[in-house]
């Protein structure tokens, strides 16, 4: 079963951008698929050697707020 995450809407544009530029900032709410979909998609790109892939977690304050209202931060 294939599920569609909200991040799939912008993922092609992100990958296209990263083919021409060395970095990008992606901001999306928890559960949008940033960790689940973006990291594997980047690793599948021919330019990605998999040596350095930086994913920044939410700030501690936002993470605490997320846990407080029942959402899980990854």
């Amino acid at each position: 079963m294939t599920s569609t995450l909200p991040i799939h809407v912008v993922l092609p544009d992100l990958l296209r951008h990263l083919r021409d530029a060395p970095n990008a900032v992606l901001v999306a709410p928890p559960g949008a698929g940033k960790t689940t979909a973006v990291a594997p998609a980047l690793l599948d790109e021919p330019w990605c050697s998999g040596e350095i892939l930086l994913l920044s977690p939410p700030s501690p304050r936002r993470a605490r707020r997320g846990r407080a209202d029942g959402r899980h931060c990854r």
Side-chain angles (χ1 to χ4, degrees):
M1 176 173 79
T2 303
S3 64
T4 301
L5 296 166
I7 206 73
H8 287 133
V9 173
V10 299
L11 191 54
D13 291 333
L14 175 67
L15 296 175
R16 195 170 15 263
H17 170 80
L18 288 171
R19 288 180 192 124
D20 296 325
N23 53 46
V25 175
L26 176 65
V27 178
K34 297 178 300 293
T35 302
T36 304
V38 175
L42 294 177
L43 290 172
D44 286 342
E45 286 292 296
W47 52 261
C48 184
S49 65
E51 292 177 17
I52 298 175
L53 181 58
L54 177 62
L55 299 174
S56 178
S59 69
R61 186 172 77 178
R62 291 194 67 196
R64 280 192 301 275
R65 187 176 68 218
R67 282 194 298 270
D69 68 9
R71 291 179 286 161
H72 298 284
C73 298
R74 296 180 185 169

